[in-house]
Every structure is written in C-alpha cells, then in structure tokens.
Amino acid sequence: MANIHDVARAAGVSISTVSYALSGKRSIGEETRKRISAAVRDLGYRPNAGARMLAGTKTHIFAVTAPLHAETYAPAHMAFVLAVTQAARTHDYDVLLLTEDEATAGLQRVAASRLVDGIIVLDVARDDERTRLLHEIDLPSTVIGIPDDTEGLVCIDLDFRRAAELSLERLVEHGHRSIGMLGHPPRVYERGSNFPHRFRAGFRDAADALAVRSAVALPGHGPAGVRAALNELYEQLPDMTGLVMNCEEPIQTSALDELADRGIEIPRDLSVVSACSSFDTSRFSPPLDVIPLVAADSCVRGVELLVEQLVSDVEPHVELVAPQFLDRGSIVTPTPTNGRN
C-alpha cells in the first residue's frame, strides 16, 4: 500500500508539502497541488482526514468514545455524552457514539473506514489505551480528562485537584481542623479512572499543606458499605467536624441518611461539602454546599478545540476548568458538640 513517502517521491515534492496539501493547513501552488492529487490517485494512496477536507468530502461526524463499564455511573456519563452532542451540533456536526468496553477496536474501525472527521475521548483512565492509539490515528482529537501521560494530546477537564483544595480551604476558613473524605467505591480507583485519583491526591496534599487532620474512606456496595466507610472515618477521626463527599449521588444520599439515623445534624454537628457533583445538591435535606461538575464547561470547549484542529494547528496542551464553589449553608463554625458519632 502506498504511503506519504511514495506520494512525495512521485510528485517531486517533500513529505511536508504533501502533508500541507492534504491538510489544507498552508497555501500550496495550484500546479503543485495538481501533481500531488495525481500521485495520490495513481498510487491509490488512501487519503486521511485532511485529504478528505481538501476534496470537500468531510463527513461532518465526530466519533465520541465513551465505554460503559460495570461501575459506570450512567447519569453523569450520559450528561457528558449529551453535552458533547449538543456542542457538536452548534458546529453542524453529528456524533457517532462508541460505547463498547473494547474501546480501541471502535476507534480503529472508524479510523480505517474514514467515517469521522475527528475524535473525542470521554471517561479517561490514567493509563488509557485509547490515548496511546490517538498517536497512531491520523485524525484530530480532543481528550476530555487528564491521563497520566498527556504528551502529544489536547486535553481539557475540570481541575479536580484544585476542587479538593477549595473544599478544604472553605472548611478550614470556618475553623475545621479534622476533616474526612468519602470517596468513590474502590473498584473505580482500581480501574484507573483519572478524576477520582486526582481529587483524592489533591485532598491529601491540601490536608498536609493546611496542617489538617484527615482521613479517606471508600464505601463498599449499598447502604451497608456507606455505613462501614463512615465508621472508618469516625474511627480515624473521632473529632471529625467536616466531611467532603466526592462520590456518586446514591452514595451521598445514603451517607446523609446514615448520619441522620445517628442523630448527627448537618451543619450543626458536621459541616459537609459535595465536591465535583453532577447532580443538584439543593434537593438534599439539608441542601449541601457544592463544587459542581458541569459537563458543558469542558465539553463545549473540547468540541471547540477539535473544530480548531480541523482548520489550523493546535499545539498539544492541557486546559483546566477552574472549580466554582456554591454556598448553600452546609458549613458552619464547629462547636464543642461537633464530631459526635
């Protein structure tokens, strides 16, 4: 099969000139363009996404790879899929959703068949085989999430580390010095999903920097798992007056129910922050202070970055969305009765 080197040799130009001609990223003389087009045709070279653009045959479809796993929290997952879809439509693009667990197979298939003009990667793991594959696929791409290795990638996501810091800072500002964190179930961390690790690391680092006594507990399945996690926190922090919850809505609901059953009143006995939550915490009883995870904040920008790559050079980089804190009255200054369990 002919490659770009063969096309350059047949057209009598450099490889970079062929690349510019096929991508349309730089102006190429008409005669040179004709020679390159003839070489592509004569050699049977399979044009990449840039060549389709040159020929006016863009598909106006983006592939969105968002595998569904056993531990996937569907409401948050689909909120991001919907946000990407809506953002793509504002640029006259449709989306092809790839949800299979063997995620690389889907990417390889759409790349080989030239079905799409670009790729958006969701639900990113710390060591994600899809991000490694992006280096081999000749298609523009945006990663919504931050893998451990970001070299050569265009990435955007909420700044989860800063969100953890902000949660602790607000509690410390009110005088809390013994603060627990209720995280996601252990299997989420074991799978390597990037954002829980970033938040947990940010929480631990911020606790050290602020000289706060802290502990982290990961709940097991159902209310019993949440109860055990709260027991663990109170065993490590008998005087715990602040709690940061970075977990799914059902876990937070179970935690609030369990605390109420123990006679622990929020915020009188325990100040609570719901961190990086994609759901409405004003519906809780009581409403919780929250750092919201708004899918559109990263997805709209992620689609913009992908569209920019179709028409110009975009240097690989990481963009972080600054977290915002919404005060709903669930943090107060601790009193001597705080921390009872």
PDB file of all heavy atoms in Angstrom, residues 63-91:
ATOM      1  N   ALA A  63     -16.494  11.096  16.159  1.00  0.00           N
ATOM      2  CA  ALA A  63     -16.610   9.892  16.977  1.00  0.00           C
ATOM      3  C   ALA A  63     -16.449  10.290  18.435  1.00  0.00           C
ATOM      4  O   ALA A  63     -15.525  11.034  18.783  1.00  0.00           O
ATOM      5  CB  ALA A  63     -15.557   8.867  16.582  1.00  0.00           C
ATOM      6  N   VAL A  64     -17.342   9.815  19.284  1.00  0.00           N
ATOM      7  CA  VAL A  64     -17.250  10.039  20.729  1.00  0.00           C
ATOM      8  C   VAL A  64     -17.070   8.678  21.379  1.00  0.00           C
ATOM      9  O   VAL A  64     -17.983   7.844  21.365  1.00  0.00           O
ATOM     10  CB  VAL A  64     -18.509  10.729  21.275  1.00  0.00           C
ATOM     11  CG1 VAL A  64     -18.388  10.910  22.785  1.00  0.00           C
ATOM     12  CG2 VAL A  64     -18.715  12.071  20.597  1.00  0.00           C
ATOM     13  N   THR A  65     -15.892   8.424  21.912  1.00  0.00           N
ATOM     14  CA  THR A  65     -15.625   7.143  22.543  1.00  0.00           C
ATOM     15  C   THR A  65     -15.858   7.275  24.040  1.00  0.00           C
ATOM     16  O   THR A  65     -15.164   8.028  24.735  1.00  0.00           O
ATOM     17  CB  THR A  65     -14.200   6.627  22.234  1.00  0.00           C
ATOM     18  OG1 THR A  65     -13.909   5.515  23.087  1.00  0.00           O
ATOM     19  CG2 THR A  65     -13.143   7.700  22.407  1.00  0.00           C
ATOM     20  N   ALA A  66     -16.877   6.558  24.530  1.00  0.00           N
ATOM     21  CA  ALA A  66     -17.292   6.646  25.931  1.00  0.00           C
ATOM     22  C   ALA A  66     -17.725   5.263  26.401  1.00  0.00           C
ATOM     23  O   ALA A  66     -18.917   4.985  26.535  1.00  0.00           O
ATOM     24  CB  ALA A  66     -18.432   7.647  26.082  1.00  0.00           C
ATOM     25  N   PRO A  67     -16.778   4.369  26.642  1.00  0.00           N
ATOM     26  CA  PRO A  67     -17.119   2.984  27.004  1.00  0.00           C
ATOM     27  C   PRO A  67     -17.936   2.903  28.293  1.00  0.00           C
ATOM     28  O   PRO A  67     -17.720   3.674  29.233  1.00  0.00           O
ATOM     29  CB  PRO A  67     -15.745   2.322  27.193  1.00  0.00           C
ATOM     30  CG  PRO A  67     -14.787   3.206  26.467  1.00  0.00           C
ATOM     31  CD  PRO A  67     -15.336   4.593  26.583  1.00  0.00           C
ATOM     32  N   LEU A  68     -18.872   1.978  28.317  1.00  0.00           N
ATOM     33  CA  LEU A  68     -19.673   1.712  29.508  1.00  0.00           C
ATOM     34  C   LEU A  68     -19.062   0.540  30.270  1.00  0.00           C
ATOM     35  O   LEU A  68     -18.877  -0.540  29.712  1.00  0.00           O
ATOM     36  CB  LEU A  68     -21.114   1.389  29.110  1.00  0.00           C
ATOM     37  CG  LEU A  68     -21.933   2.566  28.548  1.00  0.00           C
ATOM     38  CD1 LEU A  68     -23.197   2.050  27.893  1.00  0.00           C
ATOM     39  CD2 LEU A  68     -22.264   3.554  29.651  1.00  0.00           C
ATOM     40  N   HIS A  69     -18.733   0.777  31.540  1.00  0.00           N
ATOM     41  CA  HIS A  69     -18.159  -0.268  32.385  1.00  0.00           C
ATOM     42  C   HIS A  69     -19.172  -0.656  33.457  1.00  0.00           C
ATOM     43  O   HIS A  69     -20.177   0.022  33.672  1.00  0.00           O
ATOM     44  CB  HIS A  69     -16.872   0.222  33.042  1.00  0.00           C
ATOM     45  CG  HIS A  69     -15.872   0.777  32.076  1.00  0.00           C
ATOM     46  ND1 HIS A  69     -15.094  -0.023  31.268  1.00  0.00           N
ATOM     47  CD2 HIS A  69     -15.528   2.056  31.783  1.00  0.00           C
ATOM     48  CE1 HIS A  69     -14.315   0.731  30.518  1.00  0.00           C
ATOM     49  NE2 HIS A  69     -14.550   1.999  30.810  1.00  0.00           N
ATOM     50  N   ALA A  70     -18.891  -1.732  34.140  1.00  0.00           N
ATOM     51  CA  ALA A  70     -19.791  -2.193  35.196  1.00  0.00           C
ATOM     52  C   ALA A  70     -19.978  -1.128  36.270  1.00  0.00           C
ATOM     53  O   ALA A  70     -21.061  -0.989  36.843  1.00  0.00           O
ATOM     54  CB  ALA A  70     -19.251  -3.484  35.811  1.00  0.00           C
ATOM     55  N   GLU A  71     -18.929  -0.347  36.546  1.00  0.00           N
ATOM     56  CA  GLU A  71     -19.003   0.658  37.605  1.00  0.00           C
ATOM     57  C   GLU A  71     -19.356   2.047  37.088  1.00  0.00           C
ATOM     58  O   GLU A  71     -19.347   3.022  37.841  1.00  0.00           O
ATOM     59  CB  GLU A  71     -17.671   0.725  38.364  1.00  0.00           C
ATOM     60  CG  GLU A  71     -16.494   1.235  37.547  1.00  0.00           C
ATOM     61  CD  GLU A  71     -15.824   0.145  36.725  1.00  0.00           C
ATOM     62  OE1 GLU A  71     -16.386  -0.964  36.616  1.00  0.00           O
ATOM     63  OE2 GLU A  71     -14.743   0.396  36.192  1.00  0.00           O
ATOM     64  N   THR A  72     -19.693   2.169  35.793  1.00  0.00           N
ATOM     65  CA  THR A  72     -20.043   3.475  35.231  1.00  0.00           C
ATOM     66  C   THR A  72     -21.300   4.023  35.890  1.00  0.00           C
ATOM     67  O   THR A  72     -22.322   3.328  35.980  1.00  0.00           O
ATOM     68  CB  THR A  72     -20.269   3.370  33.711  1.00  0.00           C
ATOM     69  OG1 THR A  72     -19.047   2.973  33.082  1.00  0.00           O
ATOM     70  CG2 THR A  72     -20.696   4.720  33.150  1.00  0.00           C
ATOM     71  N   TYR A  73     -21.230   5.285  36.361  1.00  0.00           N
ATOM     72  CA  TYR A  73     -22.411   5.956  36.892  1.00  0.00           C
ATOM     73  C   TYR A  73     -23.115   6.618  35.716  1.00  0.00           C
ATOM     74  O   TYR A  73     -22.710   7.673  35.229  1.00  0.00           O
ATOM     75  CB  TYR A  73     -22.013   6.981  37.951  1.00  0.00           C
ATOM     76  CG  TYR A  73     -23.185   7.698  38.576  1.00  0.00           C
ATOM     77  CD1 TYR A  73     -24.231   6.979  39.162  1.00  0.00           C
ATOM     78  CD2 TYR A  73     -23.254   9.086  38.586  1.00  0.00           C
ATOM     79  CE1 TYR A  73     -25.309   7.636  39.730  1.00  0.00           C
ATOM     80  CE2 TYR A  73     -24.324   9.740  39.167  1.00  0.00           C
ATOM     81  CZ  TYR A  73     -25.353   9.017  39.734  1.00  0.00           C
ATOM     82  OH  TYR A  73     -26.418   9.658  40.289  1.00  0.00           O
ATOM     83  N   ALA A  74     -24.166   5.958  35.226  1.00  0.00           N
ATOM     84  CA  ALA A  74     -24.790   6.321  33.953  1.00  0.00           C
ATOM     85  C   ALA A  74     -25.271   7.770  33.869  1.00  0.00           C
ATOM     86  O   ALA A  74     -25.085   8.424  32.827  1.00  0.00           O
ATOM     87  CB  ALA A  74     -25.932   5.354  33.642  1.00  0.00           C
ATOM     88  N   PRO A  75     -25.919   8.343  34.894  1.00  0.00           N
ATOM     89  CA  PRO A  75     -26.402   9.725  34.757  1.00  0.00           C
ATOM     90  C   PRO A  75     -25.286  10.723  34.435  1.00  0.00           C
ATOM     91  O   PRO A  75     -25.430  11.557  33.542  1.00  0.00           O
ATOM     92  CB  PRO A  75     -27.035  10.006  36.128  1.00  0.00           C
ATOM     93  CG  PRO A  75     -27.485   8.661  36.600  1.00  0.00           C
ATOM     94  CD  PRO A  75     -26.395   7.725  36.149  1.00  0.00           C
ATOM     95  N   ALA A  76     -24.155  10.631  35.149  1.00  0.00           N
ATOM     96  CA  ALA A  76     -23.050  11.544  34.880  1.00  0.00           C
ATOM     97  C   ALA A  76     -22.421  11.237  33.524  1.00  0.00           C
ATOM     98  O   ALA A  76     -22.076  12.148  32.754  1.00  0.00           O
ATOM     99  CB  ALA A  76     -22.002  11.447  35.981  1.00  0.00           C
ATOM    100  N   HIS A  77     -22.268   9.952  33.228  1.00  0.00           N
ATOM    101  CA  HIS A  77     -21.687   9.519  31.958  1.00  0.00           C
ATOM    102  C   HIS A  77     -22.468  10.091  30.780  1.00  0.00           C
ATOM    103  O   HIS A  77     -21.907  10.698  29.858  1.00  0.00           O
ATOM    104  CB  HIS A  77     -21.688   7.991  31.918  1.00  0.00           C
ATOM    105  CG  HIS A  77     -20.998   7.395  30.733  1.00  0.00           C
ATOM    106  ND1 HIS A  77     -19.637   7.202  30.684  1.00  0.00           N
ATOM    107  CD2 HIS A  77     -21.481   6.944  29.544  1.00  0.00           C
ATOM    108  CE1 HIS A  77     -19.294   6.650  29.533  1.00  0.00           C
ATOM    109  NE2 HIS A  77     -20.403   6.481  28.826  1.00  0.00           N
ATOM    110  N   MET A  78     -23.781   9.934  30.820  1.00  0.00           N
ATOM    111  CA  MET A  78     -24.610  10.384  29.704  1.00  0.00           C
ATOM    112  C   MET A  78     -24.739  11.904  29.668  1.00  0.00           C
ATOM    113  O   MET A  78     -24.987  12.478  28.598  1.00  0.00           O
ATOM    114  CB  MET A  78     -25.986   9.732  29.780  1.00  0.00           C
ATOM    115  CG  MET A  78     -25.951   8.219  29.585  1.00  0.00           C
ATOM    116  SD  MET A  78     -24.972   7.698  28.136  1.00  0.00           S
ATOM    117  CE  MET A  78     -25.893   8.484  26.791  1.00  0.00           C
ATOM    118  N   ALA A  79     -24.559  12.561  30.806  1.00  0.00           N
ATOM    119  CA  ALA A  79     -24.567  14.025  30.796  1.00  0.00           C
ATOM    120  C   ALA A  79     -23.424  14.559  29.937  1.00  0.00           C
ATOM    121  O   ALA A  79     -23.581  15.543  29.198  1.00  0.00           O
ATOM    122  CB  ALA A  79     -24.468  14.564  32.223  1.00  0.00           C
ATOM    123  N   PHE A  80     -22.269  13.898  30.010  1.00  0.00           N
ATOM    124  CA  PHE A  80     -21.126  14.318  29.197  1.00  0.00           C
ATOM    125  C   PHE A  80     -21.350  13.977  27.726  1.00  0.00           C
ATOM    126  O   PHE A  80     -21.013  14.767  26.842  1.00  0.00           O
ATOM    127  CB  PHE A  80     -19.841  13.670  29.719  1.00  0.00           C
ATOM    128  CG  PHE A  80     -19.222  14.417  30.861  1.00  0.00           C
ATOM    129  CD1 PHE A  80     -19.705  14.259  32.154  1.00  0.00           C
ATOM    130  CD2 PHE A  80     -18.168  15.290  30.643  1.00  0.00           C
ATOM    131  CE1 PHE A  80     -19.154  14.962  33.207  1.00  0.00           C
ATOM    132  CE2 PHE A  80     -17.605  15.998  31.693  1.00  0.00           C
ATOM    133  CZ  PHE A  80     -18.103  15.843  32.989  1.00  0.00           C
ATOM    134  N   VAL A  81     -21.928  12.811  27.463  1.00  0.00           N
ATOM    135  CA  VAL A  81     -22.229  12.446  26.073  1.00  0.00           C
ATOM    136  C   VAL A  81     -23.197  13.456  25.469  1.00  0.00           C
ATOM    137  O   VAL A  81     -23.010  13.926  24.340  1.00  0.00           O
ATOM    138  CB  VAL A  81     -22.823  11.027  26.003  1.00  0.00           C
ATOM    139  CG1 VAL A  81     -23.335  10.726  24.600  1.00  0.00           C
ATOM    140  CG2 VAL A  81     -21.775   9.993  26.420  1.00  0.00           C
ATOM    141  N   LEU A  82     -24.234  13.821  26.219  1.00  0.00           N
ATOM    142  CA  LEU A  82     -25.219  14.786  25.731  1.00  0.00           C
ATOM    143  C   LEU A  82     -24.589  16.160  25.515  1.00  0.00           C
ATOM    144  O   LEU A  82     -24.864  16.831  24.510  1.00  0.00           O
ATOM    145  CB  LEU A  82     -26.376  14.892  26.715  1.00  0.00           C
ATOM    146  CG  LEU A  82     -27.489  15.892  26.356  1.00  0.00           C
ATOM    147  CD1 LEU A  82     -28.128  15.530  25.019  1.00  0.00           C
ATOM    148  CD2 LEU A  82     -28.548  15.940  27.459  1.00  0.00           C
ATOM    149  N   ALA A  83     -23.727  16.574  26.441  1.00  0.00           N
ATOM    150  CA  ALA A  83     -23.088  17.885  26.313  1.00  0.00           C
ATOM    151  C   ALA A  83     -22.206  17.950  25.072  1.00  0.00           C
ATOM    152  O   ALA A  83     -22.182  18.960  24.358  1.00  0.00           O
ATOM    153  CB  ALA A  83     -22.271  18.201  27.564  1.00  0.00           C
ATOM    154  N   VAL A  84     -21.476  16.869  24.786  1.00  0.00           N
ATOM    155  CA  VAL A  84     -20.659  16.822  23.575  1.00  0.00           C
ATOM    156  C   VAL A  84     -21.549  16.869  22.333  1.00  0.00           C
ATOM    157  O   VAL A  84     -21.269  17.600  21.368  1.00  0.00           O
ATOM    158  CB  VAL A  84     -19.780  15.556  23.553  1.00  0.00           C
ATOM    159  CG1 VAL A  84     -19.161  15.353  22.172  1.00  0.00           C
ATOM    160  CG2 VAL A  84     -18.684  15.656  24.599  1.00  0.00           C
ATOM    161  N   THR A  85     -22.629  16.110  22.351  1.00  0.00           N
ATOM    162  CA  THR A  85     -23.532  16.067  21.205  1.00  0.00           C
ATOM    163  C   THR A  85     -24.120  17.440  20.918  1.00  0.00           C
ATOM    164  O   THR A  85     -24.171  17.890  19.757  1.00  0.00           O
ATOM    165  CB  THR A  85     -24.673  15.063  21.467  1.00  0.00           C
ATOM    166  OG1 THR A  85     -24.111  13.767  21.713  1.00  0.00           O
ATOM    167  CG2 THR A  85     -25.610  14.970  20.285  1.00  0.00           C
ATOM    168  N   GLN A  86     -24.572  18.117  21.959  1.00  0.00           N
ATOM    169  CA  GLN A  86     -25.158  19.444  21.772  1.00  0.00           C
ATOM    170  C   GLN A  86     -24.121  20.444  21.284  1.00  0.00           C
ATOM    171  O   GLN A  86     -24.412  21.273  20.399  1.00  0.00           O
ATOM    172  CB  GLN A  86     -25.787  19.914  23.084  1.00  0.00           C
ATOM    173  CG  GLN A  86     -27.013  19.112  23.492  1.00  0.00           C
ATOM    174  CD  GLN A  86     -27.532  19.482  24.862  1.00  0.00           C
ATOM    175  OE1 GLN A  86     -26.779  19.891  25.748  1.00  0.00           O
ATOM    176  NE2 GLN A  86     -28.836  19.340  25.062  1.00  0.00           N
ATOM    177  N   ALA A  87     -22.918  20.368  21.833  1.00  0.00           N
ATOM    178  CA  ALA A  87     -21.857  21.279  21.389  1.00  0.00           C
ATOM    179  C   ALA A  87     -21.487  21.016  19.934  1.00  0.00           C
ATOM    180  O   ALA A  87     -21.254  21.947  19.154  1.00  0.00           O
ATOM    181  CB  ALA A  87     -20.629  21.134  22.286  1.00  0.00           C
ATOM    182  N   ALA A  88     -21.437  19.752  19.547  1.00  0.00           N
ATOM    183  CA  ALA A  88     -21.109  19.399  18.160  1.00  0.00           C
ATOM    184  C   ALA A  88     -22.161  19.932  17.196  1.00  0.00           C
ATOM    185  O   ALA A  88     -21.825  20.401  16.100  1.00  0.00           O
ATOM    186  CB  ALA A  88     -20.980  17.889  18.028  1.00  0.00           C
ATOM    187  N   ARG A  89     -23.419  19.882  17.591  1.00  0.00           N
ATOM    188  CA  ARG A  89     -24.485  20.355  16.706  1.00  0.00           C
ATOM    189  C   ARG A  89     -24.372  21.850  16.433  1.00  0.00           C
ATOM    190  O   ARG A  89     -24.779  22.315  15.360  1.00  0.00           O
ATOM    191  CB  ARG A  89     -25.860  20.049  17.321  1.00  0.00           C
ATOM    192  CG  ARG A  89     -26.269  18.580  17.269  1.00  0.00           C
ATOM    193  CD  ARG A  89     -26.232  18.022  15.852  1.00  0.00           C
ATOM    194  NE  ARG A  89     -26.998  18.843  14.924  1.00  0.00           N
ATOM    195  CZ  ARG A  89     -26.662  19.048  13.666  1.00  0.00           C
ATOM    196  NH1 ARG A  89     -25.559  18.533  13.162  1.00  0.00           N
ATOM    197  NH2 ARG A  89     -27.433  19.804  12.899  1.00  0.00           N
ATOM    198  N   THR A  90     -23.832  22.605  17.386  1.00  0.00           N
ATOM    199  CA  THR A  90     -23.662  24.042  17.138  1.00  0.00           C
ATOM    200  C   THR A  90     -22.636  24.305  16.045  1.00  0.00           C
ATOM    201  O   THR A  90     -22.591  25.407  15.492  1.00  0.00           O
ATOM    202  CB  THR A  90     -23.232  24.783  18.422  1.00  0.00           C
ATOM    203  OG1 THR A  90     -21.924  24.340  18.817  1.00  0.00           O
ATOM    204  CG2 THR A  90     -24.218  24.536  19.547  1.00  0.00           C
ATOM    205  N   HIS A  91     -21.816  23.300  15.739  1.00  0.00           N
ATOM    206  CA  HIS A  91     -20.837  23.404  14.655  1.00  0.00           C
ATOM    207  C   HIS A  91     -21.254  22.562  13.439  1.00  0.00           C
ATOM    208  O   HIS A  91     -20.430  22.256  12.579  1.00  0.00           O
ATOM    209  CB  HIS A  91     -19.454  22.949  15.145  1.00  0.00           C
ATOM    210  CG  HIS A  91     -18.885  23.817  16.220  1.00  0.00           C
ATOM    211  ND1 HIS A  91     -18.206  24.997  15.957  1.00  0.00           N
ATOM    212  CD2 HIS A  91     -18.895  23.695  17.576  1.00  0.00           C
ATOM    213  CE1 HIS A  91     -17.818  25.544  17.096  1.00  0.00           C
ATOM    214  NE2 HIS A  91     -18.224  24.776  18.089  1.00  0.00           N
TER     215      HIS A  91
END
